[in-house]
Amino acid sequence: MNASNTRDRILDSLQDILVGEGYSGVTLEAVARAASVSKGGLLYHFPSKAAMLTGLIERLSALAEEEFREAREGGEGVVRVFLRTSLPQSTEERELYWAVIAALRGREDMPEEATRRVQYLFSHWGELLHEELTDPVLAEIILRAGDGLYMAAIAGLPQPEPALTREMIDRLVEASDKVRRPR
């Protein structure tokens, strides 16, 4: 098995433990066992718990950066991409975000750079929305609505009916189109 697959398997196992047991379940031994690697094999890829958590943040960062690129360069615009991606696209994506939130609870093991990276990922959408829209209040309403949809979805909270969600998004997009800066 190549190193990339082993590294991904370790991160998958870390993510599963964070989602299933929370941060308290994360130990090097538990992750190694779940990934079917020796502790030495785990340490080869991730020399510490902090390195594993940073690896998980890097995985999230890659996903978010692709969404940012799509929002800036694609034809949909920031508002549409943000609201569309505020609904998790897969179980894997939902679990990745939930795992990162669980990981943030272990602040003593989370390197400061990784914490700053997560803060950037969550705040950058707001920056992009404010850049695209001339109405700062509407930009904040859209940001908070999208964050609320996302948090409710990853936490498994009750969701509005899909038709109502589409109507909410359509109404926010319609309002944003009126105050969208020209590209």
Side-chain angles (χ1 to χ4, degrees), residues 68-81 128 131-132 180-183:
F68 296 152
R69 185 199 59 71
E70 181 183 355
R72 285 188 309 267
E73 298 171 10
E76 285 183 278
V78 173
V79 172
R80 285 174 180 82
V81 172
L128 292 173
E131 287 171 13
E132 181 166 277
R180 188 173 175 190
R181 294 181 205 280
R183 284 188 168 203

Side-chain angles (χ1 to χ4, degrees), residues 54-171:
T54 299
L56 194 63
I57 301 304
E58 289 168 356
R59 181 181 270 188
L60 174 68
S61 184
L63 174 67
E65 287 297 338
E66 179 58 31
E67 291 172 350
F68 296 152
R69 185 199 59 71
E70 181 183 355
R72 285 188 309 267
E73 298 171 10
E76 285 183 278
V78 173
V79 172
R80 285 174 180 82
V81 172
F82 173 70
L83 290 171
R84 180 174 43 78
T85 61
S86 291
L87 301 169
Q89 304 300 302
S90 67
T91 301
E92 293 79 17
E93 180 184 351
R94 182 173 41 252
E95 289 179 353
L96 174 59
Y97 273 92
W98 191 252
V100 167
I101 290 169
L104 289 172
R105 296 199 61 209
R107 293 187 65 74
E108 68 275 358
D109 292 317
M110 184 68 74
E112 185 59 34
E113 177 55 33
T115 300
R116 279 195 303 275
R117 184 68 185 159
V118 171
Q119 290 167 344
Y120 162 78
L121 295 175
F122 280 90
S123 67
H124 192 59
W125 277 118
E127 294 166 9
L128 292 173
L129 288 165
H130 281 275
E131 287 171 13
E132 181 166 277
L133 304 178
T134 61
D135 182 344
V137 173
L138 182 58
E140 281 298 309
I141 289 169
I142 292 168
L143 177 64
R144 302 307 165 194
D147 284 351
L149 285 169
Y150 208 93
M151 292 303 293
I154 67 172
L157 299 176
Q159 300 293 302
E161 291 296 320
L164 179 58
T165 300
R166 278 191 306 280
E167 287 180 37
M168 290 175 0
I169 290 172
D170 289 347
R171 185 164 308 170

Side-chain angles (χ1 to χ4, degrees), residues 24 28 50-51 55 62 88 159:
S24 63
L28 295 175
Q159 300 293 302

